[in-house]
Amino acid sequence: MPRQVFFYDQPERFVAGTVGEPGDRTFFLQASGGGRTTSVLLEKTQVAALAERVDELLDEVLRRSGGAAPVPAVAPSELIDVAPLDLPLVEEFRVGTMALAWDGSEECVVVEAQALLEADAEDDEAAEAEQELFEDDENGPPLLRVRITGAMARVFAKRALDLVAAGRPPCPFCSLPLDPEGHICPRANGYRR
């Protein structure tokens, strides 16, 4: 079966969002434009890592260009997107690996999110599957590829970092997330906090 590639070149919207309450949230990346929307499922840690790397990439582009690149130092307030995810929310795939790059010729950020491979780690299929991650194979796993401006990338990173920070507050003793009814704190020898 040929590889399914969801490609967005300068989409109208590219955001990270959640469904559910803190402690029970499901995280998505969503791109929309041209009358279509693509949503992919991922983990909170993947959202945080992607947002941090986007900021680092843009800072490096600015540094190397001496400030000449079309990249704002902070997210432009007029582009901030706080709207919920577009509905209906249909998960295309669960993200396994992600890639991030700066396209100097087009002066844009390229984000790729590839489907999680269901390979058995005990056989050679795992090694073969891992190798496929780095090839643009026409028979590979589904892929979301998005090309966005530096300004849109800054806005994406800000929203994603705010989203991750809006989760459950940490326990002041052990730093694990607190549930609304408390939690069993390892620093309190198993007593509820």
Side-chain angles (χ1 to χ4, degrees):
M1 180 167 85
R3 178 180 218 173
Q4 190 171 16
V5 177
F6 303 93
F7 180 62
Y8 290 84
D9 192 0
Q10 306 306 324
E12 296 162 14
R13 188 170 192 227
F14 180 59
V15 296
T18 63
V19 173
E21 295 298 318
D24 193 28
R25 297 187 294 174
T26 304
F27 288 77
F28 291 91
L29 285 181
Q30 190 175 73
S32 54
R36 63 190 178 108
T37 300
T38 302
S39 303
V40 295
L41 181 74
L42 69 169
E43 299 295 325
K44 178 180 180 178
T45 54
Q46 290 175 300
V47 172
L50 179 60
E52 290 167 3
R53 299 304 183 273
V54 165
D55 266 344
E56 290 170 5
L57 174 70
L58 295 175
D59 290 345
E60 183 66 16
V61 167
L62 273 176
R63 187 187 68 74
R64 288 187 181 193
S65 71
V71 175
V74 295
S77 59
E78 67 275 5
L79 297 179
I80 300 290
D81 181 351
V82 294
L85 294 171
D86 295 332
L87 297 177
L89 192 58
V90 178
E91 169 194 336
E92 297 295 340
F93 59 84
R94 177 179 286 278
V95 174
T97 59
M98 295 183 293
L100 180 66
W102 174 257
D103 182 342
S105 62
E106 297 290 324
E107 294 186 319
C108 67
V109 174
V110 180
V111 178
E112 290 186 351
Q114 182 171 278
L116 182 65
L117 295 173
E118 299 294 330
D120 184 4
E122 295 182 347
D123 33 57
D124 294 332
E125 289 179 29
E128 291 173 23
E130 188 172 322
Q131 182 59 33
E132 287 178 20
L133 295 176
F134 304 104
E135 298 173 2
D136 207 4
D137 183 11
E138 67 182 36
N139 295 319
L143 175 76
L144 171 64
R145 180 177 293 145
V146 181
R147 300 168 56 85
I148 53 177
T149 64
M152 191 174 207
R154 280 284 188 213
V155 169
F156 168 84
K158 179 181 180 353
R159 176 183 168 129
L161 290 171
D162 290 348
L163 185 70
V164 169
R168 295 175 289 169
C171 172
F173 302 104
C174 69
S175 299
L176 292 173
L178 286 173
D179 292 324
E181 57 276 340
H183 80 127
I184 298 175
C185 182
R187 301 269 325 261
N189 293 326
Y191 290 100
R192 278 203 177 273
R193 292 259 185 214

